[in-house]
Amino acid sequence: MKTALALDIDSTLTPPRQPITKVMVEALTRLNVPFYVAAGSHFQLLQNQFFKPMYEHGFRGRFDAFVSNGAVHYHCDYSKEMSIKLVSEFNIGNYLGENDYRRLMNVLAGTLQMEEFRLPDDFTIVDNRIVDRVSMINLCPIGRLEKEGPDAMLNREKFVKFDLSSDYRKKIMEYLNLSLSPLIKEKHLHITLGGQTSFDIGIWGEDKTKPVRKLLEKGFEKVIFIGDALFKGGNDAAVIELIDTWPSESPCPVEAVQTGSWLETIEIFKKKEVLG
Ligand SMILES: [Mg+2]
């Protein structure tokens, strides 16, 4: 059976927010089936985490990369040099149109201002709490700096603990799903938890299912998706939705496999017999 892999990047191929290791690059080099990658982050953030170290650690093949949660498509050809070409880019602002885009941005800004979603005073809140990443909107209650120093890391860690103990993001998520329900129905808006501190607001289909669907269109009979966030609300969960809503007349050619770490992903490669 003609099989291909679709692989999440952060915490699936790499340690959380860390560069891909040489060991993983070697495993990817040894794959006996083609693979596409899909990342929640945008291209710039992935340069040092994935694209450059892949080449530096000796990967010399070709693959397609879907970044910004799947909505921006690149073709990467590392056979001679590191060549990365943009194939297509989805623009959420154009897709929604001016009125709905403004409506969305107003709801997001208003939510952060609400008394019940105010963060405790000891949090440092920096700029860029709502960022238009072209293909989707990222909402980060503590804000985000271009370059994160030790202070920002501590603030992040504090937020992660706070979020776990108070269900802060879960509550915001429920509120957003309610207040944005017209856009969710009419424009197929889709809200997921992005990483450990934020939310991604995108459009159904312009997500992690995109590389999977592209591989099926190319004629692969089976696509195995591996990701660390296939749970409800996670940024790989769209793949589960694709499987669950697959028309019952035909068997679903997609399999989703949850991983706990990049090391576990290598074990999954072995189990699925895709390592040459
Ligand atoms: Mg991930």
Side-chain angles (χ1 to χ4, degrees):
M1 194 183 271
K2 239 179 113 193
T3 301
L5 297 176
L7 308 165
D8 167 55
I9 294 182
D10 189 49
S11 303
T12 296
L13 295 182
T14 75
R17 292 173 68 88
Q18 297 296 310
I20 190 166
T21 61
K22 193 169 168 51
V23 172
M24 178 51 98
V25 175
E26 280 165 1
L28 292 174
T29 302
R30 282 169 49 213
L31 288 178
N32 55 24
V33 295
F35 70 91
Y36 282 3
V37 294
S41 308
H42 57 99
F43 185 74
Q44 233 47 45
L45 264 179
L46 290 159
Q47 278 281 40
N48 292 324
Q49 186 183 16
F50 180 75
F51 289 104
K52 282 185 198 160
M54 272 287 270
Y55 189 78
E56 286 159 6
H57 291 316
F59 187 85
R60 291 296 178 269
R62 297 187 185 91
F63 60 95
D64 283 26
F66 295 77
V67 307
S68 295
N69 242 5
V72 187
H73 178 184
Y74 290 94
H75 179 66
C76 305
D77 183 350
Y78 286 15
S79 52
K80 289 190 194 74
E81 50 177 16
M82 195 178 125
S83 152
I84 302 171
K85 291 205 174 89
L86 180 68
V87 178
S88 66
E89 183 170 27
F90 173 78
N91 185 314
I92 191 169
N94 291 347
Y95 168 83
L96 288 177
E98 206 185 320
N99 284 343
D100 282 342
Y101 180 77
R102 203 181 314 122
R103 203 160 131 203
L104 169 63
M105 292 307 240
N106 287 341
V107 168
L108 299 182
T111 304
L112 290 178
Q113 300 302 327
M114 284 169 65
E115 194 53 43
E116 57 182 300
F117 299 133
R118 252 188 66 159
L119 284 165
D121 287 339
D122 57 336
F123 275 101
T124 315
I125 295 170
V126 294
D127 287 342
N128 298 325
R129 299 174 87 191
I130 304 170
V131 179
D132 183 340
R133 289 189 183 159
V134 185
S135 60
M136 61 165 172
I137 313 292
N138 181 264
L139 174 75
C140 182
I142 51 170
R144 209 184 272 282
L145 293 167
E146 272 310 307
K147 282 208 165 50
E148 286 190 351
D151 284 358
M153 287 298 280
L154 281 178
N155 204 39
R156 266 182 74 88
E157 282 164 23
K158 197 161 82 179
F159 178 83
V160 173
K161 278 198 197 112
F162 169 75
D163 187 36
L164 274 176
S165 63
S166 66
D167 275 340
Y168 178 76
R169 284 195 303 168
K170 203 175 146 211
K171 287 176 194 155
I172 291 193
M173 182 93 135
E174 277 165 15
Y175 177 78
L176 288 176
N177 273 316
L178 209 66
S179 49
L180 291 169
S181 63
L183 285 179
I184 291 170
K185 279 198 200 85
E186 291 155 27
K187 299 277 181 155
H188 313 290
L189 203 75
H190 175 217
I191 307 165
T192 54
L193 299 178
Q196 292 180 301
T197 56
S198 64
F199 302 88
D200 291 327
I201 297 110
I203 303 297
W204 272 114
E206 296 299 327
D207 50 35
K208 297 284 180 84
T209 64
K210 205 165 170 182
V212 172
R213 288 182 290 112
K214 291 275 178 197
L215 284 165
L216 293 174
E217 282 164 23
K218 282 196 89 169
F220 288 98
E221 294 154 312
K222 183 175 182 184
V223 177
I224 303 171
F225 179 94
I226 307 175
D228 70 298
L230 286 158
F231 49 84
K232 199 173 183 304
N235 75 358
D236 300 320
V239 179
I240 298 288
E241 184 83 15
L242 178 76
I243 295 170
D244 287 349
T245 56
W246 197 265
S248 54
E249 310 88 72
S250 53
C252 181
V254 184
E255 183 189 353
V257 186
Q258 170 78 30
T259 184
S261 69
W262 68 274
L263 283 167
E264 191 181 334
T265 303
I266 293 182
E267 292 308 311
I268 296 167
F269 288 162
K270 287 180 194 159
K271 221 157 81 197
K272 298 291 173 189
E273 298 177 340
V274 291
L275 277 185

